[in-house]
Amino acid sequence: MDRVEKRMAFYIVSYDLIKDKDYVRLEKGILSVAFQAKKILFSVWVIESNRTATNLAETLMQHADADDKILVSEVNRESISWINIDKDESKWLETVL
């Protein structure tokens, strides 16, 4: 699958690491596929990428273990809302979305 498949879009990336919990490895993977990225919650990022959600999930699984869970969903300003997100993350979301 070609990695550059579509226009730039923002995605929510959420994950549960089950046994080994190698957050550093997965977070490096997230940063490798994103034009820009921000960790919003403990295991939730918002990233900008020109890949599809499916391609992102499959690529990120290469940085995770077989039992880990990853969810990737496209997001835009009209489809997201937040409460009690830290000030820096909230400002970033308001700026980029």
Side-chain angles (χ1 to χ4, degrees), residues 20-81:
D20 292 335
K21 300 188 186 314
D22 191 348
Y23 291 98
V24 172
R25 184 173 77 162
L26 182 56
E27 290 175 1
K28 284 181 181 178
I30 291 169
L31 294 172
S32 76
V33 297
F35 176 70
Q36 50 180 328
K38 189 76 163 174
K39 188 174 184 178
I40 304 299
L41 300 170
F42 184 75
S43 61
V44 177
W45 289 67
V46 173
I47 70 168
E48 183 181 21
S49 180
N50 59 352
R51 300 182 184 209
T52 65
T54 299
N55 182 268
L56 287 167
E58 290 171 349
T59 301
L60 292 175
M61 275 307 293
Q62 297 172 14
H63 300 271
D65 296 322
D67 61 345
D68 293 337
K69 301 170 185 180
I70 296 175
L71 176 121
V72 178
S73 179
E74 189 169 346
V75 66
N76 59 50
R77 187 63 180 107
E78 292 77 35
S79 68
I80 189 171
S81 183

